[in-house]
């Protein structure tokens, strides 16, 4: 098939996947009963939509990103809009949070303070004690009736939604009064518009980072995002775009402007303060500490100004009581929290709660993870986006409450970072809707959380595993290089025997040496030349090299003596790093460790020829090599030495 034909086919795949997903979403939205009362159908459509969209994006990736940029932007945005409009058609059923938004919006639109009273206090003040007959008759008033109170979660607690979100709630109420309709529909429509702006900003940030706009589909077309924003309605949608703007603004905007955006994101959703330390350190790394300080001061000022109109004496105390619900009372779909609680001896209904110990510990773990992600900054947008993934991931893992919509910030950061595995892992959070099925008890909930955890670890390991292994190999290569560097002379021609991925040779070449790699199979991940050999005979000339590095290779050889003979033929000097043992249990232990490490690199277990130090020295002497020096590099669990030998003339 021609390139044009293949591209056209990719476009058709995307169009088909989008069309089918929109139809499925609309079907679930309009069918009776609503999604939460038909969880099986809902989750089936979510899974099928995810599969279709993944198939379409993968098959049409070149078409989406290889043509005019406007085409990719238009397709991603159009797809995001169509999916959200379809989900917006559904009645509210997935979450009852939106009814609290409507309640607060009516209060703010009426010129009152939403933080002053709990819903129950307000209704009692306005309506007196509950009238069961009025409730049964369906009496409804705006943020004042007992019937409406029944729809709210936590009616005995003050609202925790910050002033920026309150302004949007009130706007929906005002628009509903002016134009008709219900404020809940208008509010979810506002969320959709805000979220589409976030999708646009994600694409703009991707372009600024010179990445394909197709990565924006990880957020824009994600079923979790679509349903939690348009179908359920959650305030995270108001803050995601502001968080993305921080990545885009880094290095382009004055620090005070960045501070304004940080403050606005917190006024939309307080949890988005998670990313503020990352941005602050990124600013510090880019320039001066003063820039980070200016951004922090401005952010605090914006946040303070937002709360100022609502200030009264008990505001902070009321907020603290409500926030404590999430740390000390509520828990939902939190595998790590439940496991830790169980290990601490807690048994529901039998023992005393352990939240006074567990909650501070998990909060400290979250703060430490965020601190590490912050200190990891180097001032680039790419690093900031990836650090946001880490920070949000830590927040979700250590949180005792994990609703699907909490992951919106994580999924937006994943789109910026190209972390497709995180996007796939996020799909598992939708399984938490099974907890609302009456037939699902605690054992089934535990099984669901196990499935979610295994799914997330598998998906993230699929992408991050090879990168982590490569990072570990490079770190280990640097340690090897530092050990052999003192024994290299200026101008030495170097053979790296048993080079593996070639990372040691790459460092040697970077020090100014001419390097060739040799290995039994080609796993070279560098630009250095490589020869493959049969594990015994090298296809190289006599004295072709001044020195050969043999780093932890001899114990893998079928005939180590033959390898030593061949290496001493092509190089006059040998620098050997080797694992050794002193007692029999040492040999068994290092055999187990070696096999385990090589499995991670995709290497099958093989017989290993470990020896004692004295054994290797005798082998070298028998080959006519004079041992110039040897020393221990480590005598812990991993006993290893460096031996330098030269061929006697």
């Amino acid at each position: 098939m021609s390139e044009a034909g293949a591209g056209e086919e990719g476009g058709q795949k995307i169009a088909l996947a989008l069309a089918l997903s929109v139809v499925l979403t609309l079907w679930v939205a309009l069918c009776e009963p609503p999604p939460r009362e038909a969880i099986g159908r809902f989750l089936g459509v979510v899974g099928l939509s995810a599969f279709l969209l993944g198939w379409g994006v993968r098959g049409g990736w070149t078409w989406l990103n290889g043509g005019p940029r406007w085409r990719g932007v238009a397709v991603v945005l159009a797809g995001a809009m169509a999916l959200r409009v379809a989900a917006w058609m559904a009645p509210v059923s997935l979450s009852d949070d939106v009814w609290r938004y409507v309640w607060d919006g009516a209060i703010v639109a009426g010129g009152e303070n939403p933080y002053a009273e709990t819903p129950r206090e307000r209704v009692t003040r306005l309506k007196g004690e509950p009238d069961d007959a009025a409730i049964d008759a369906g009496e409804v008033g705006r943020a004042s009736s007992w019937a409406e109170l029944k729809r709210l979660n936590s009616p005995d607690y003050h609202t925790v939604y910050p002033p920026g979100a309150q302004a949007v709630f009130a706007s929906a109420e005002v628009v509903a009064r002016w134009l008709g309709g219900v404020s809940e529909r208008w509010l979810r429509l506002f969320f959709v518009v805000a979220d589409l702006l976030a999708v646009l900003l994600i694409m703009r940030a991707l372009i600024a980072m010179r990445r394909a706009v197709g990565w924006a589909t990880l957020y824009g077309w994600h079923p979790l995002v679509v349903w939690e924003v348009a179908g359920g309605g959650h305030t995270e949608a108001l803050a995601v775009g502001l968080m993305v703007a921080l990545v885009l603004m880094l290095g382009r905007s004055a620090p005070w402007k960045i501070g304004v955006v940080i403050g606005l994101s917190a006024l939309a959703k307080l949890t988005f303060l998670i990313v503020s330390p990352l941005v602050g350190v990124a600013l510090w790394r880019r320039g001066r500490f003063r820039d980070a300080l200016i951004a922090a001061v401005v952010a605090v000022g914006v946040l303070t100004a937002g709360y100022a109109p609502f200030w009264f004496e008990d505001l902070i105390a009321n907020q603290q009581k409500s926030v404590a619900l999430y740390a000390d009372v509520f828990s939902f779909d939190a595998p790590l929290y439940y496991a830790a609680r169980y290990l601490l001896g807690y048994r529901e209904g039998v023992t005393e709660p352990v939240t006074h110990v567990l909650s501070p510990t998990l909060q400290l773990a979250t703060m430490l993870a965020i601190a590490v992600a912050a200190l990891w900054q180097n001032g680039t947008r790419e690093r900031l986006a990836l650090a946001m993934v880490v920070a949000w991931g830590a927040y979700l893992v250590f949180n005792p409450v994990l609703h699907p919509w909490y992951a919106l910030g994580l999924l937006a950061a994943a789109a910026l970072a190209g972390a497709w595995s995180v996007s796939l892992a996020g799909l598992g959070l939708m399984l938490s809707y099974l907890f609302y099925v009456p037939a699902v008890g605690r054992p089934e909930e535990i099984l669901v959380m196990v499935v979610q955890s295994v799914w997330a670890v598998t998906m993230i390991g699929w992408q991050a595993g090879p990168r982590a292994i490569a990072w570990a190999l490079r770190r280990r290569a640097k340690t090897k290089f530092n050990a052999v560097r003192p024994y290299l002379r200026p101008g030495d021609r170097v053979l790296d025997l048993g080079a593996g991925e070639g990372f040691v040779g790459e460092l040697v070449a970077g020090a100014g040496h001419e390097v060739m790699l040799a290995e039994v199979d080609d796993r070279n991940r560098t630009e250095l030349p490589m020869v493959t050999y049969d594990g015994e005979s090298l296809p190289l000339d006599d004295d072709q090299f001044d020195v050969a590095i043999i780093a932890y290779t001899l114990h893998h050889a079928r005939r180590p003596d033959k390898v030593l003979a061949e290496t001493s033929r092509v190089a006059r000097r040998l620098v050997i790093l080797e694992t050794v043992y002193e007692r029999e249990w040492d040999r068994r232990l290092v055999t187990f460790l070696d096999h385990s490490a090589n499995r991670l690199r995709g290497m099958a277990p093989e017989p290993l020829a470990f020896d004692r130090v004295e054994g290797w020295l005798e082998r070298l002497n028998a080959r006519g090599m004079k041992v110039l020096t040897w020393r221990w590099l480590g005598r812990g669990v991993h006993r290893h030495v460096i031996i330098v030998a030269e061929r006697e003339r």
Side-chain angles (χ1 to χ4, degrees):
M1 183 181 295
S2 66
E3 184 175 339
E8 193 67 28
E9 183 181 348
Q12 292 171 359
K13 285 184 177 181
I14 288 179
L16 178 61
L18 267 176
L20 290 174
S21 296
V22 170
V23 169
L24 287 168
T25 302
L26 190 61
W27 173 61
V28 170
L30 298 179
C31 272
E32 291 291 344
R36 183 156 166 174
E37 297 174 29
I39 293 298
R41 182 177 65 202
F42 170 66
L43 292 180
V45 165
V46 166
L48 183 55
S49 296
F51 173 79
L52 287 170
L53 292 169
W55 169 79
V57 171
R58 183 174 181 181
W61 185 261
T62 301
W63 179 87
L64 186 63
N65 300 290
R69 183 179 293 165
W70 65 265
R71 183 176 71 186
V73 171
V75 169
V76 173
L77 185 63
M81 183 182 301
L83 289 165
R84 281 160 178 75
V85 169
W88 178 78
M89 299 297 290
V92 172
S93 69
L94 295 174
S95 167
D96 51 14
D97 283 359
V98 73
W99 302 121
R100 186 62 179 259
Y101 305 161
V102 171
W103 178 282
D104 286 359
I107 293 172
V108 176
E112 298 181 60
N113 191 337
Y115 304 106
E117 297 175 294
T118 69
R120 192 175 302 279
E121 289 170 346
R122 176 180 175 80
V123 175
T124 301
R125 176 173 61 83
L126 295 177
K127 297 290 185 179
E129 292 303 316
D131 183 343
D132 293 337
I135 294 174
D136 294 338
E139 177 191 332
V140 175
R142 289 197 178 274
S144 62
S145 74
W146 287 102
E148 198 169 8
L149 186 71
K150 292 176 68 176
R151 299 189 303 186
L152 304 186
N153 55 33
S154 307
D156 296 312
Y157 288 85
H158 296 86
T159 183
V160 295
Y161 302 110
Q166 296 289 347
V168 177
F169 303 162
S171 299
E173 175 70 17
V174 171
V175 171
R177 293 176 185 178
W178 286 355
L179 301 180
V182 294
S183 56
E184 164 266 312
R185 282 284 182 179
W186 284 108
L187 185 54
R188 285 197 288 143
L189 183 60
F190 290 173
F191 290 160
V192 166
V193 172
D195 206 44
L196 290 174
L197 289 174
V199 174
L200 272 173
L201 285 169
I202 288 172
M203 288 190 283
R204 183 67 187 87
L206 288 168
I207 292 169
M209 291 188 287
R210 298 183 179 180
R211 289 178 170 169
V213 296
W215 289 114
T217 59
L218 293 180
Y219 181 85
W221 296 0
H222 199 291
L224 183 152
V225 178
V226 169
W227 278 104
E228 300 305 339
V229 170
H234 292 286
T235 55
E236 281 80 0
L238 302 175
V240 167
L242 293 167
M243 183 192 79
V244 175
L246 292 171
V247 176
L248 187 57
M249 295 170 73
L250 187 64
R252 298 177 57 177
S253 302
W256 70 266
K257 294 180 180 179
I258 292 176
V260 169
V261 174
I262 292 173
L264 290 175
S265 67
L267 287 174
K269 186 73 176 183
L270 287 172
T271 51
F272 278 73
L273 284 172
I274 285 171
V275 304
S276 58
L278 315 181
V279 178
V281 177
L283 285 172
W284 184 7
R285 293 282 194 262
R286 287 192 67 88
R288 294 171 295 183
F289 176 74
R290 189 180 71 176
D291 292 346
L293 185 60
I294 290 172
V297 170
V298 171
V300 171
V302 169
L303 192 58
T304 302
Y307 274 97
F310 302 98
W311 175 259
F312 65 101
E313 185 178 355
D314 294 327
L315 175 63
I316 295 177
N318 290 347
Q319 292 289 285
Q320 288 175 334
K321 290 178 184 177
S322 296
V323 170
L325 276 175
Y326 297 89
D328 301 327
V329 179
F330 290 161
S331 62
F332 181 82
D333 194 21
L336 182 64
Y337 174 81
Y338 291 133
R341 192 173 65 172
Y342 183 85
L343 292 174
L344 287 173
Y346 175 75
R347 301 296 182 269
E348 191 169 357
V350 177
T351 62
E352 291 294 321
V354 293
T355 51
H356 65 288
V357 174
L358 185 54
S359 291
T361 302
L362 294 179
Q363 290 167 10
L364 178 60
T366 302
M367 289 187 288
L368 287 175
I370 294 172
V372 170
L375 294 173
W376 186 53
Q377 295 307 295
N378 61 4
T380 64
R381 295 189 185 97
E382 293 79 6
R383 184 65 65 85
L384 177 58
L386 195 54
M388 286 179 174
V389 173
V390 174
W392 277 112
Y395 169 72
L396 297 178
V397 167
F398 295 123
N399 203 326
V401 180
L402 179 53
H403 291 296
W405 55 90
Y406 287 12
L408 291 182
L410 172 66
L411 294 175
L416 293 172
W420 52 264
S421 59
V422 173
S423 185
L424 287 174
L427 286 171
L429 292 176
M430 301 298 279
L431 293 177
S432 64
Y433 284 110
L434 289 170
F435 299 166
Y436 300 114
V437 176
V440 173
R442 195 59 177 170
E444 291 81 8
E445 288 182 5
I446 293 173
L447 178 60
V448 169
M449 287 187 282
V450 169
V451 170
Q452 288 176 317
S453 302
V454 172
W455 169 259
V457 170
T458 302
M459 292 301 101
I460 294 172
W462 187 6
Q463 182 179 19
R467 294 185 181 183
I469 291 170
W471 176 85
L473 290 174
R474 287 188 179 277
R475 294 276 296 184
R476 188 164 181 254
K478 188 172 182 179
T479 301
K480 295 176 184 177
F481 172 65
N482 288 336
V484 304
R485 180 165 50 181
Y487 307 105
L488 300 178
R489 301 166 186 168
D492 273 348
R493 295 165 299 165
V494 179
L495 174 68
D496 184 2
L497 184 71
E501 290 78 7
F503 297 145
V504 174
E506 188 174 52
L507 292 170
V508 174
H513 297 279
E514 179 185 336
V515 180
M516 177 175 285
L517 311 179
E519 185 56 272
V520 294
D521 53 9
D522 191 350
R523 287 181 281 122
N524 187 9
R525 296 171 64 178
T526 73
E527 299 298 321
L528 296 174
M530 168 174 273
V531 296
T532 57
Y533 75 116
D534 61 5
E536 294 185 2
S537 300
L538 290 165
L540 300 169
D541 297 333
D542 293 354
D543 294 330
Q544 187 171 338
F545 300 94
D546 299 298
V547 59
I549 299 170
I550 313 176
Y552 305 106
T553 296
L554 290 172
H555 62 265
H556 288 286
R558 294 186 302 271
R559 297 171 61 192
D561 294 329
K562 175 65 174 176
V563 173
L564 283 173
E566 274 291 281
T567 312
S568 63
R569 175 182 65 82
V570 302
R572 290 188 292 273
R573 191 167 69 258
L574 307 183
V575 180
I576 301 168
L577 301 176
E578 191 52 64
T579 300
V580 297
Y581 69 94
E582 296 181 275
R583 291 169 292 276
E584 181 59 24
W585 70 267
D586 292 343
R587 186 187 64 79
R588 294 178 181 177
L589 178 59
V590 294
T591 298
F592 169 76
L593 295 175
D594 197 284
H595 283 162
S596 300
N598 284 324
R599 280 193 185 96
L600 294 175
R601 298 168 67 183
M603 299 166 60
E606 59 184 355
L608 300 175
F610 288 112
D611 203 345
R612 294 180 171 86
V613 177
E614 297 79 9
W616 291 119
L617 298 179
E618 291 173 4
R619 291 170 188 256
L620 288 166
N621 289 328
R623 308 269 91 69
M625 302 293 294
K626 179 183 179 182
V627 176
L628 302 178
T629 186
W630 77 271
R631 64 184 177 88
W632 289 99
L633 295 175
R635 299 191 71 173
V637 174
H638 185 203
R639 291 171 168 79
H640 50 127
V641 297
I642 183 168
I643 304 171
V644 182
E646 190 172 56
R647 190 172 64 222
E648 294 183 333
R649 300 183 183 278

